[in-house]
Amino acid sequence: MKIDKKLKEDFINAFGEEKWEIEEALAKIEPISRELAEYLEVPQVPIVVENIKEDSRMYFQEEFIVLRKDIALNYVEALKSIAHEYRHWYQFLAVKNKDESKPLVYEYAEGFMYMSEHGNTNDGSNEYYSLIIELDAFAFQKYFLKEVLDIETHYPNEEYDKMLDKFIEYFY
């Protein structure tokens, strides 16, 4: 898509070059957001960029995803994050709708209960990473990028990456 030079110049003058870069990055990942929503059969949600500690976060009640700026500006990292958060959106809706056709709906419910009791952010613990909602979201992220987008990714911890492969093998 060709961008009008005057429009770009006016935008940058009004909001700054950084904001333009963020908007360009969001425009590149929007089609994948749409594809994820269709693939998972969930409503598409807006994606915004904010200063947060985590790479990304899903706001379930408000129905949007937040990406940290440096993640949003890195195409592959942004795709990994939105795939991960869309899977949480899928899990949340399965639990909310009591959708027993989803194989892990009860485990999702337990994971969300744990998160509400212990805080809704990644604390880096083995217990956090072993939650089925996290295993499933990391496995889906890896699976979707490889099988749908042809982008191979690996989790930095080799043992956890092998566990994700087993999870993918069993559930996908």
Side-chain angles (χ1 to χ4, degrees):
M1 180 172 96
K2 187 158 171 117
I3 302 293
D4 180 275
K5 287 182 183 180
K6 175 82 169 110
L7 172 67
K8 180 178 179 179
E9 184 180 307
D10 290 347
F11 185 98
I12 291 172
N13 287 336
F15 302 105
E17 183 116 18
E18 182 178 81
K19 182 68 174 158
W20 179 261
E21 290 172 359
I22 290 169
E23 291 303 317
E24 282 187 317
L26 289 173
K28 288 179 186 173
I29 62 175
E30 196 284 331
I32 305 301
S33 173
R34 190 175 337 110
E35 189 171 354
L36 277 158
E38 289 173 12
Y39 187 91
L40 292 169
E41 299 178 340
V42 297
Q44 186 176 3
V45 295
I47 299 171
V48 299
V49 175
E50 291 181 2
N51 290 324
I52 58 172
K53 186 176 109 181
E54 307 96 322
D55 291 351
S56 58
R57 187 182 307 151
M58 176 73 213
Y59 285 91
F60 299 108
Q61 302 307 320
E62 298 84 354
E63 300 183 2
F64 69 93
I65 294 171
V66 173
L67 295 178
R68 195 175 66 222
K69 183 180 78 176
D70 62 313
I71 297 297
L73 295 174
N74 180 317
Y75 185 67
V76 172
E77 291 302 315
L79 295 182
K80 287 167 50 178
S81 290
I82 66 168
H84 186 95
E85 298 307 337
Y86 260 102
R87 189 60 176 194
H88 283 319
W89 181 226
Y90 165 91
Q91 296 164 348
F92 173 80
L93 293 174
V95 171
K96 180 182 175 189
N97 298 326
K98 298 179 174 75
D99 186 348
E100 294 182 9
S101 72
K102 307 292 190 260
L104 298 170
V105 68
Y106 296 112
E107 289 82 358
Y108 296 158
E110 288 174 7
F112 286 120
M113 181 82 67
Y114 175 90
M115 293 297 281
S116 69
E117 292 171 1
H118 294 91
N120 286 326
T121 59
N122 179 350
D123 64 4
S125 69
N126 288 338
E127 193 169 10
Y128 172 84
Y129 285 103
S130 66
L131 291 170
I132 206 73
I133 56 174
E134 288 306 320
L135 275 169
D136 183 51
F138 280 116
F140 176 77
Q141 155 192 324
K142 183 176 182 175
Y143 171 83
F144 184 84
L145 266 69
K146 175 66 176 149
E147 298 302 320
V148 178
L149 304 177
D150 199 29
I151 299 171
E152 188 159 339
T153 62
H154 294 282
Y155 195 82
N157 178 297
E158 189 177 329
E159 290 302 313
Y160 195 74
D161 195 56
K162 288 178 185 176
M163 191 169 16
L164 296 177
D165 289 338
K166 290 290 183 192
F167 195 92
I168 290 167
E169 190 178 303
Y170 188 79
F171 287 103
Y172 302 111

